[in-house]
Structures are given as C-alpha cells and as structure tokens.
Amino acid sequence: MNIMKKKPDWIKVKFSIGTNYKKIKKLIVLHNLNTICQSANCPNIGECWGKGVATFMILGSICTRSCRFCGVKTGKPDNIDWKEPEKIAKSIQILNLNHVVITSVNRDDLKDMGTYIWENTIKKIRQFNPKITIETLIPDFQGNHKIIDRIIKLNPEIISHNLETVYRLTKEVRIQAKYDRSLFVLKYIKEKNTKIRTKTGIMLGLGETKEEVLATMKDIKHSKVDILTIGQYLQPSIKHFPVRFFVSPGEFLEYEKIGLKMGFKYVESGPLVRSSYHAEKHVL
C-alpha cells in the first residue's frame, strides 16, 4: 500500500495571501489561464505570487504524458486557445512584471507539439512588454531539433528543460521521457546559441543515491548547462510515485557548494526549491 510520508518541519510552509496574490489569481480566473504553480501544487505559490511572480503554463492544463511525479493532469488534451498568447501578454503587462517564466504541458498529440503557440506567446509578451526578460521551460519536444530551433531563434534569455531525476530512475518516474534525450536537448540549445542561458532541475528523495546525484550533476555540467536547481520531491497524491526519503537542508547546501565548484553559474538548492523558484535571479 502506498502511504504518504509525514513531512519534516523544514518542509512546512506558511501560506500567505496578500495584494499581489489576489491580483494574480483574479487575472488567471478572468482570462482562463493556467499556471504551473497551481497545476503542480507548488509549495512556494504563496511566496512567489506575493512577490508578483508567476509561471504561466500554455497549451492547456492536461498533459499527453503520465510522469509519476507530476501533479499536472494527464489524458486527452484541451482544445487550443488561439487567443492565449495575447491573454498572457496582457496579463503580464497589467502585473508589470520584469521577468516571466513560460512553460507548457507536453502536446505530443500535435504535429508541431505546440510550437506555434509557444512562438506566438513569446512574440506577444515582447510586443506588450518590450523590456521584459523571459525564461522558457520547455518539454523535450521528442528531441526534434527543428522544433527546438524555433524556440532558440526567438532568443529567450533562458531556456530550461528539467532532467528531473537520475538515470536509473528515469524510466520509472518519467516513463515517456529519456535521460539522454533531455541531456541532448540542453546541450543542443547551448551549442546553437551560446548567449542563451540553459537551465535544468532535479528532484531528490525518489530513491537515488548520493553517488547517482553527483554523477547526474556531472552529466548536466558536461551538457554545458549554466543553472541548476535541486529540490525535494513531494508526492502530489497517494497515486503518485512515493517519497522514499526527505533530504535535510544541510545536504542540499552541500550539493549547492559542490555544484558551484563544478562550475555552474548559479545553483538553487533547498528542500522547497522548484525550477522556477527565484527565477528572476537566474537571468542576471
């Protein structure tokens, strides 16, 4: 029987609702938008929205893949909202954001895997917010370099794609994804445009060993990635992959120090770290 582990004290967060939080939520409801903050049950939603920071999720709220760690719904995807790019761009303008993160569900059902909406979202954001910096947290696009090129040509300041876990656990946790393919995507982006910062994230507590984490960090560094995020995996529901153990704050700090020694430009490592946590700092 899959029983959810009790969270240690360092995982517990205070959920505060302020003016910015209410403003973002109102806009999301008004324009029928999606955020990964809500869909993935992010523990930092109160902090980030309170600062006026949100990660918008395009192409609907239902993913074609069924990763066992993820809280996003899986199944038959939503219909395309062709007005979504402009809705997001205008919402960002109203919020007066300096930096934004855009991500999406996997749309393996579409011939272009959703790239048309990706392109138009980035273009519209820049049209309405000419001074903004953008991070695109992309799927692997099945490793299709022609599709990845379309994102690279738009020159977002950061392109990120999450590796999520170590090699041994990838098939069990990410199912339709491939460890080597994700590394290829990250390396390909950097080789095509060295000015774009690349970024990836991994979760701990899935059953990996320290040796495996360090080997994964080396693989990521060899793929010329600039920014690494490391956080604790939290089980979205009893049906999801179980938490095998909780990593202490001290261990996360150790991984951060090791990552910086490896040569990463920025390492965000902590129990509540998610790939978009403190994202505005990563563009500097």
Side-chain angles (χ1 to χ4, degrees), residues 74-183:
T74 183
K76 184 179 179 181
D78 298 323
N79 292 327
I80 299 295
D81 179 358
W82 301 106
K83 295 181 180 179
E84 184 176 50
E86 188 163 328
K87 288 178 183 177
I88 288 176
K90 287 182 177 178
S91 296
I92 292 168
Q93 185 182 48
I94 292 168
L95 291 167
N96 194 30
L97 301 182
N98 295 316
H99 181 71
V100 67
V101 180
I102 303 297
T103 190
S104 79
V105 291
N106 283 279
R107 291 302 301 258
D108 297 319
D109 59 311
L110 301 174
K111 188 176 181 180
D112 74 341
M113 292 179 234
T115 323
Y116 178 83
I117 293 294
W118 266 104
E119 288 176 314
N120 276 275
T121 299
I122 295 168
K123 288 175 182 177
K124 286 292 182 183
I125 289 172
R126 288 212 170 112
Q127 180 185 333
F128 285 89
N129 309 271
K131 294 182 180 180
I132 202 166
T133 53
I134 301 172
E135 175 181 334
T136 54
L137 174 52
I138 63 171
D140 62 21
F141 293 126
Q142 297 180 12
N144 187 319
H145 63 87
K146 290 183 179 179
I147 287 178
I148 298 167
D149 282 342
R150 290 168 67 177
I151 304 295
I152 294 171
K153 286 176 182 177
L154 292 167
N155 287 306
E157 280 71 22
I158 297 175
I159 300 181
S160 53
H161 169 66
N162 287 335
L163 192 61
E164 306 293 6
T165 189
V166 300
Y167 177 81
R168 177 176 57 87
L169 296 172
T170 296
K171 287 184 180 180
E172 193 176 1
V173 175
R174 297 177 71 202
I175 304 176
Q176 294 106 317
K178 296 179 181 178
Y179 183 88
D180 291 336
R181 185 166 67 191
S182 287
L183 289 174

Side-chain angles (χ1 to χ4, degrees), residues 206-240:
L206 292 158
E208 70 288 334
T209 65
K210 183 176 180 180
E211 289 73 23
E212 287 177 316
V213 174
L214 295 178
T216 300
M217 290 171 69
K218 288 177 182 177
D219 286 343
I220 292 169
K221 191 69 189 70
H222 289 158
S223 298
K224 303 180 181 180
V225 173
D226 299 303
I227 304 155
L228 173 64
T229 65
I230 310 173
Q232 170 71 51
Y233 167 61
L234 297 177
Q235 190 176 350
S237 78
I238 200 166
K239 295 180 180 180
H240 286 81

